[in-house]
Amino acid sequence: MTLEDLRAQIADVMDLDPADLPDDGNLMDLGLDSMRAMNLAMAWEEQGLDLDFADLGETETLAQLWALIEARQSQSGT
């Protein structure tokens, strides 16, 4: 996964243009509710990404979420 993949997937469930999803904007304030976050977490799990619903709750911004994903991808070697 790349940052742009992540941005596109989150923007899609929030009905936003990816360009309208800033790195430092609070995802919940921008419209990412718990149901959408749960759907994203399930989709990412199916893709093999080590990320769950609790991780989304602990990260406020796209940049924070991306940093977590990068760290997990580095640990797993993907």
Side-chain angles (χ1 to χ4, degrees):
M1 177 175 294
T2 67
L3 174 58
E4 292 313 310
D5 292 336
L6 179 66
R7 183 186 318 276
Q9 289 178 19
I10 293 173
D12 184 54
V13 300
M14 294 169 55
D15 295 322
L16 294 175
D17 184 299
D20 293 333
L21 188 59
D23 290 352
D24 60 352
N26 183 301
L27 295 173
M28 297 299 171
D29 289 347
L30 293 167
L32 184 64
D33 59 32
S34 59
M35 287 303 294
R36 291 175 178 162
M38 190 176 304
N39 288 337
L40 281 169
M42 289 186 317
W44 291 332
E45 183 179 5
E46 289 174 5
Q47 295 172 13
L49 186 61
D50 182 22
L51 196 68
D52 61 27
F53 179 70
D55 294 323
L56 285 169
E58 294 171 5
T59 55
E60 293 182 3
T61 67
L62 182 66
Q64 291 172 340
L65 184 56
W66 178 242
L68 178 62
I69 290 170
E70 279 189 311
R72 299 245 174 109
Q73 286 179 338
S74 293
Q75 291 171 354
S76 69
T78 57

